[in-house]
Amino acid sequence: HAKARNAIREKRYTVASEIYNTIVHQLPERVEVPNALLEETYLLKALHDQRQEKIQEARKTFSEGLRKTQHAPKLLTALALMESKNGNMRKAKKLVRYIGDVDPKRGALLAKWKMFADDTR
């Protein structure tokens, strides 16, 4: 991740994407990758896509990451925030309700946020 962050700082966005893709697609073929590392990598890749205004690519990254990490609450939360930022409040609130099922503590915290307070319980 450090090399990807350095590439981003140097505005070498393609290099950063390649590093993230290597971690999530090629590395698991050779060694067992801890779930936490996959979760973090998918999160960073999706946020990187989002910063580049590649929202559809970010959604695809989140979707793939959620499949491979058994619906990690951290990824679900970031996806809900991205959807709310992009005007998809219905989808964001649905995700927050789901987060409450997967991780009740995290879901309860999110449900207190003003933007998610309606219809999330």
Side-chain angles (χ1 to χ4, degrees), residues 2 5 18 23 26-27 38 48 52 55 65 67-68 101 117:
R5 279 192 288 271
E18 289 171 0
I23 293 171
Q26 294 175 9
L27 195 58
L38 279 178
H48 177 61
Q52 291 184 327
I55 302 305
R67 278 193 313 277
K68 294 207 176 165
D101 294 339

mmCIF file of all heavy atoms in Angstrom, residues 2 5 18 23 26-27 38 48 52 55 65 67-68 101 117:
data_model
loop_
_atom_site.group_PDB
_atom_site.id
_atom_site.type_symbol
_atom_site.label_atom_id
_atom_site.label_comp_id
_atom_site.label_asym_id
_atom_site.label_seq_id
_atom_site.Cartn_x
_atom_site.Cartn_y
_atom_site.Cartn_z
ATOM 1 N N ALA A 2 2.008 1.184 0.622
ATOM 2 C CA ALA A 2 2.876 2.356 0.682
ATOM 3 C C ALA A 2 3.319 2.774 -0.723
ATOM 4 O O ALA A 2 3.358 3.968 -1.039
ATOM 5 C CB ALA A 2 4.085 2.080 1.560
ATOM 6 N N ARG A 5 0.436 4.517 -2.388
ATOM 7 C CA ARG A 5 0.270 5.884 -1.855
ATOM 8 C C ARG A 5 1.330 6.827 -2.424
ATOM 9 O O ARG A 5 1.040 7.973 -2.764
ATOM 10 C CB ARG A 5 0.313 5.868 -0.332
ATOM 11 C CG ARG A 5 -1.001 5.466 0.296
ATOM 12 C CD ARG A 5 -1.023 5.749 1.784
ATOM 13 N NE ARG A 5 -0.173 4.839 2.526
ATOM 14 C CZ ARG A 5 -0.565 3.669 3.025
ATOM 15 N NH1 ARG A 5 -1.805 3.276 2.863
ATOM 16 N NH2 ARG A 5 0.268 2.905 3.683
ATOM 17 N N GLU A 18 -2.505 -0.218 -10.739
ATOM 18 C CA GLU A 18 -1.854 -1.497 -11.045
ATOM 19 C C GLU A 18 -1.397 -2.210 -9.779
ATOM 20 O O GLU A 18 -1.517 -3.430 -9.667
ATOM 21 C CB GLU A 18 -0.676 -1.278 -11.991
ATOM 22 C CG GLU A 18 -1.105 -0.906 -13.397
ATOM 23 C CD GLU A 18 0.057 -0.474 -14.294
ATOM 24 O OE1 GLU A 18 1.221 -0.461 -13.826
ATOM 25 O OE2 GLU A 18 -0.211 -0.145 -15.457
ATOM 26 N N ILE A 23 -2.421 -6.743 -5.974
ATOM 27 C CA ILE A 23 -2.687 -7.289 -4.638
ATOM 28 C C ILE A 23 -3.984 -8.094 -4.631
ATOM 29 O O ILE A 23 -4.032 -9.193 -4.080
ATOM 30 C CB ILE A 23 -2.743 -6.164 -3.582
ATOM 31 C CG1 ILE A 23 -1.358 -5.521 -3.425
ATOM 32 C CG2 ILE A 23 -3.238 -6.716 -2.238
ATOM 33 C CD1 ILE A 23 -1.348 -4.263 -2.581
ATOM 34 N N GLN A 26 -3.668 -10.908 -8.410
ATOM 35 C CA GLN A 26 -2.562 -11.828 -8.665
ATOM 36 C C GLN A 26 -1.979 -12.439 -7.402
ATOM 37 O O GLN A 26 -1.642 -13.619 -7.389
ATOM 38 C CB GLN A 26 -1.465 -11.119 -9.461
ATOM 39 C CG GLN A 26 -1.917 -10.738 -10.856
ATOM 40 C CD GLN A 26 -0.880 -9.935 -11.607
ATOM 41 O OE1 GLN A 26 0.250 -9.796 -11.171
ATOM 42 N NE2 GLN A 26 -1.277 -9.389 -12.746
ATOM 43 N N LEU A 27 -1.866 -11.659 -6.352
ATOM 44 C CA LEU A 27 -1.272 -12.163 -5.119
ATOM 45 C C LEU A 27 -2.032 -13.356 -4.537
ATOM 46 O O LEU A 27 -1.398 -14.352 -4.148
ATOM 47 C CB LEU A 27 -1.157 -11.033 -4.092
ATOM 48 C CG LEU A 27 -0.263 -11.275 -2.892
ATOM 49 C CD1 LEU A 27 1.163 -11.594 -3.322
ATOM 50 C CD2 LEU A 27 -0.271 -10.056 -1.981
ATOM 51 N N LEU A 38 -7.001 -7.877 2.119
ATOM 52 C CA LEU A 38 -7.893 -7.755 0.961
ATOM 53 C C LEU A 38 -8.908 -6.638 1.182
ATOM 54 O O LEU A 38 -9.144 -5.818 0.296
ATOM 55 C CB LEU A 38 -8.632 -9.072 0.703
ATOM 56 C CG LEU A 38 -7.901 -10.147 -0.054
ATOM 57 C CD1 LEU A 38 -8.763 -11.387 -0.184
ATOM 58 C CD2 LEU A 38 -7.477 -9.662 -1.432
ATOM 59 N N HIS A 48 -9.611 5.286 -4.404
ATOM 60 C CA HIS A 48 -8.767 5.818 -5.482
ATOM 61 C C HIS A 48 -9.617 6.041 -6.745
ATOM 62 O O HIS A 48 -9.540 7.092 -7.375
ATOM 63 C CB HIS A 48 -7.617 4.842 -5.751
ATOM 64 C CG HIS A 48 -6.713 5.217 -6.868
ATOM 65 N ND1 HIS A 48 -5.969 6.370 -6.882
ATOM 66 C CD2 HIS A 48 -6.424 4.574 -8.038
ATOM 67 C CE1 HIS A 48 -5.264 6.428 -7.995
ATOM 68 N NE2 HIS A 48 -5.525 5.351 -8.717
ATOM 69 N N GLN A 52 -10.789 9.735 -8.595
ATOM 70 C CA GLN A 52 -10.581 10.000 -10.020
ATOM 71 C C GLN A 52 -11.918 10.171 -10.749
ATOM 72 O O GLN A 52 -11.936 10.238 -11.975
ATOM 73 C CB GLN A 52 -9.792 8.865 -10.659
ATOM 74 C CG GLN A 52 -8.369 8.800 -10.188
ATOM 75 C CD GLN A 52 -7.612 7.725 -10.935
ATOM 76 O OE1 GLN A 52 -8.148 6.691 -11.322
ATOM 77 N NE2 GLN A 52 -6.342 7.990 -11.170
ATOM 78 N N ILE A 55 -16.820 6.612 -10.776
ATOM 79 C CA ILE A 55 -17.795 6.097 -9.819
ATOM 80 C C ILE A 55 -18.230 4.674 -10.168
ATOM 81 O O ILE A 55 -18.343 3.820 -9.288
ATOM 82 C CB ILE A 55 -19.006 7.047 -9.703
ATOM 83 C CG1 ILE A 55 -18.541 8.460 -9.275
ATOM 84 C CG2 ILE A 55 -20.047 6.505 -8.728
ATOM 85 C CD1 ILE A 55 -17.728 8.501 -8.002
ATOM 86 N N GLY A 65 -14.983 -6.539 -3.927
ATOM 87 C CA GLY A 65 -14.420 -6.631 -2.580
ATOM 88 C C GLY A 65 -15.395 -7.223 -1.584
ATOM 89 O O GLY A 65 -15.020 -8.036 -0.735
ATOM 90 N N ARG A 67 -17.791 -9.333 -2.242
ATOM 91 C CA ARG A 67 -17.898 -10.769 -2.521
ATOM 92 C C ARG A 67 -16.719 -11.535 -1.916
ATOM 93 O O ARG A 67 -16.883 -12.607 -1.362
ATOM 94 C CB ARG A 67 -17.952 -11.043 -4.023
ATOM 95 C CG ARG A 67 -19.316 -10.871 -4.630
ATOM 96 C CD ARG A 67 -19.395 -11.451 -6.033
ATOM 97 N NE ARG A 67 -18.295 -11.093 -6.919
ATOM 98 C CZ ARG A 67 -18.209 -9.964 -7.617
ATOM 99 N NH1 ARG A 67 -19.153 -9.065 -7.547
ATOM 100 N NH2 ARG A 67 -17.172 -9.738 -8.406
ATOM 101 N N LYS A 68 -15.526 -10.968 -2.041
ATOM 102 C CA LYS A 68 -14.327 -11.686 -1.610
ATOM 103 C C LYS A 68 -14.050 -11.566 -0.112
ATOM 104 O O LYS A 68 -13.227 -12.315 0.413
ATOM 105 C CB LYS A 68 -13.123 -11.202 -2.400
ATOM 106 C CG LYS A 68 -13.244 -11.558 -3.870
ATOM 107 C CD LYS A 68 -11.932 -11.693 -4.538
ATOM 108 C CE LYS A 68 -12.145 -12.140 -5.972
ATOM 109 N NZ LYS A 68 -10.967 -11.967 -6.782
ATOM 110 N N ASP A 101 -27.412 -5.348 10.180
ATOM 111 C CA ASP A 101 -27.584 -6.803 10.290
ATOM 112 C C ASP A 101 -26.230 -7.504 10.418
ATOM 113 O O ASP A 101 -26.092 -8.462 11.178
ATOM 114 C CB ASP A 101 -28.308 -7.360 9.062
ATOM 115 C CG ASP A 101 -29.735 -6.880 8.955
ATOM 116 O OD1 ASP A 101 -30.308 -6.453 9.989
ATOM 117 O OD2 ASP A 101 -30.282 -6.923 7.836
ATOM 118 N N ALA A 117 -30.539 8.918 9.481
ATOM 119 C CA ALA A 117 -31.472 8.763 10.588
ATOM 120 C C ALA A 117 -32.873 8.343 10.146
ATOM 121 O O ALA A 117 -33.528 7.569 10.811
ATOM 122 C CB ALA A 117 -31.556 10.031 11.401
#
